[in-house]
Amino acid sequence: MIVIMLIFLSAFFAFFISDSIDRTITDLMYSMMASDQKPIAAVLTGDMDGRDREYLSTYLRADETQTSFLVDDGEIIMASRSPEQEKQVQNWLLHQADSLEEALPDAVREGICRQGGREFYYRMERLPGEDGPLILVTYMSDLYASQFRESLINSTVYVIIIVFFLMLMATLIWVFSIIRPLNQIRSYISQIKQGKDVDLYINRGDEIGDLAQELVTMKDELSRQDKAKEEMIHNISHDLKTPIATIKSYSESIKDGIYPYGDLDSSVDVILHNAQRLEEKVHNLLYLNRVEYLVSSDASGVVTNMKDVVEQVVLNSAVIRPEIEIITDVEEVFFDGLIEAWRVSIENIMENAFRYAKTYIRIEVRENDLRISNDGPKMPEDRIDALFRPYEKGEGGRFGLGLSIVSKVTKANNYLVQGYNLPDGVCFRIYRPVKKEPGKQKRRNQRK
């Protein structure tokens, strides 16, 4: 950044400031000559007597930086000084003055004369005289201009150096204000990776402050998920341990000829019941891993007939609670994604609905829109946003993974899922926002 600033300032000085200084010096040279010519013109345009001529001669000789002379009929009649090395310049200016005699009164000509490898600034003005027009010519060598230019550039360079130093200090302060919180964030992430419990305090109202806040929020969310996962694993371990212990103890008792449940058939039934419970729990864990695989599978270009999926899920789940009426209003539409992933999602929502429904479950399917509602108790408003978080177990839930799987499947296929309360229950909706075409919207507004 510093190098870029140096390059910019150098280019700025080389192209803009240098050119501006040259123009300023040129204007200044012409202004100086015009200022010195005013009193001469005032004397010449009045009734000039001997005393005025003496004053004029003295005035012309007083300025050593400029050379002035009067031209009348192509001849120099009065000059402040006439250096031999400038004869060529004076002859050139005398020739230019001849062409100005025929010009309008008060005509002025300014320019630069290049003679002998040097530059001379000149200004000539046509003045009325008693016997005809006079041409007042003033010129200056570029020595004064070069000295003034050098002084002006030195002053400008000093100012630029001071400005650059101030800009550099401001830039360093700004860079430090960015690097320090970034180092804090890097250290925070590194310590989090090591499993340390650390806090991050960055009180800023810019993007870095927002990033720090998001990192803290993410860390809190991951901590919450880890805690919920540990609790779930603990519960699963306990649930698996109980039927295994029962099966083992009953089997050992039967082997020893003891029937813990009164007779052989009843004791074997207890073993079978716990074996079935164990099978269901293992099946749920395997089912979760399978869904994770389906979500991560490449389903690009694959579509699923949602009418077939809903009919299959309804057929399989109708026996769960036969007293619940299942109402379907399903169109034959296609959703992007694998059929197995969508089947798992619909089953999870239906399982949740059966858990809370009182009398009915309604399923509606339209283009890019699927809704499953029931007349169960309403959800607490403060828990609606957390419905689809992993391991967020609601009342009556088991692992807290069902709805999080639904969220993963919908996001993987570019759909949205939401849950909300109805006047007589709750509803879960899977949908994809439909973009309105500008042309159609415009025509619709014209009809109105």
Side-chain angles (χ1 to χ4, degrees), residues 216-350:
V216 173
T217 303
M218 182 184 70
K219 182 246 184 182
D220 293 340
E221 176 63 19
L222 291 176
S223 298
R224 186 198 65 79
Q225 291 188 18
D226 288 341
K227 184 178 180 180
K229 188 185 295 184
E230 290 178 2
E231 183 180 352
M232 184 199 72
I233 293 174
H234 174 75
N235 293 335
I236 291 176
S237 300
H238 183 269
D239 288 344
L240 293 177
K241 182 179 179 181
T242 301
I244 290 173
T246 302
I247 292 171
K248 181 180 179 181
S249 61
Y250 271 56
S251 298
E252 291 174 348
S253 297
I254 292 174
K255 184 179 180 181
D256 295 335
I258 301 172
Y259 306 120
Y261 218 71
D263 56 20
L264 177 61
D265 291 339
S266 299
S267 298
V268 171
D269 287 341
V270 172
I271 293 176
L272 292 175
H273 174 70
N274 282 276
Q276 184 178 0
R277 287 179 57 199
L278 183 61
E279 181 183 13
E280 290 178 353
K281 295 181 186 299
V282 173
H283 177 266
N284 286 332
L285 293 176
L286 296 176
Y287 192 63
L288 173 61
N289 290 331
R290 185 182 180 192
V291 168
E292 294 286 350
Y293 167 75
L294 291 173
V295 170
S296 61
S297 298
D298 183 11
S300 177
V302 179
V303 295
T304 296
N305 189 329
M306 293 305 291
K307 182 177 181 181
D308 293 343
V309 174
V310 170
E311 290 177 350
Q312 182 183 358
V313 173
V314 170
L315 182 63
N316 294 337
S317 60
V319 295
I320 297 177
R321 290 182 62 187
E323 73 276 12
I324 300 298
E325 180 184 7
I326 300 178
I327 306 169
T328 59
D329 181 8
V330 181
E331 295 181 357
E332 189 171 6
V333 297
F334 293 85
F335 278 29
D336 294 336
L338 296 170
I339 184 172
E340 182 66 14
W342 282 121
R343 185 182 65 79
V344 171
S345 299
I346 304 303
E347 285 179 349
N348 285 347
I349 297 177
M350 289 293 290

Side-chain angles (χ1 to χ4, degrees), residues 33 37 66-71 74-76 86-101 109-115 119-125 135-141:
M33 289 186 289
Q37 285 181 345
Q66 302 182 76
T67 300
S68 299
F69 56 85
L70 292 174
V71 178
E75 295 182 358
I76 299 176
E86 297 177 4
K87 285 295 184 182
Q88 191 176 2
V89 178
Q90 294 179 6
N91 291 333
W92 187 89
L93 292 174
L94 187 61
H95 177 71
Q96 296 294 318
D98 290 341
S99 63
L100 196 64
E101 288 185 356
R109 180 178 297 170
E110 296 175 339
I112 298 177
C113 169
R114 293 176 177 84
Q115 296 291 334
E119 291 184 346
F120 296 86
Y121 297 85
Y122 69 87
R123 186 180 191 275
M124 53 183 66
E125 182 176 355
I135 307 300
L136 175 59
V137 180
T138 303
Y139 69 92
M140 298 176 63
S141 71

Side-chain angles (χ1 to χ4, degrees), residues 369-383:
D369 197 333
L370 182 148
R371 307 186 189 203
I372 300 177
S373 57
N374 66 81
D375 61 346
K378 295 184 179 181
M379 298 178 289
E381 293 294 335
D382 59 345
R383 287 188 57 83

Side-chain angles (χ1 to χ4, degrees), residues 29-46 48 55-56 59-60 63 66 68 70 106 108 110 123-128 136-138:
M29 299 293 284
Y30 294 145
S31 298
M32 289 176 60
M33 289 186 289
S35 177
D36 286 347
Q37 285 181 345
K38 282 184 180 180
I40 300 175
V43 173
L44 292 175
T45 54
M48 187 168 58
Y55 166 77
L56 183 58
Y59 182 81
L60 289 174
D63 193 345
Q66 302 182 76
S68 299
L70 292 174
D106 300 328
V108 175
E110 296 175 339
R123 186 180 191 275
M124 53 183 66
E125 182 176 355
R126 185 180 185 276
L127 302 172
L136 175 59
V137 180
T138 303

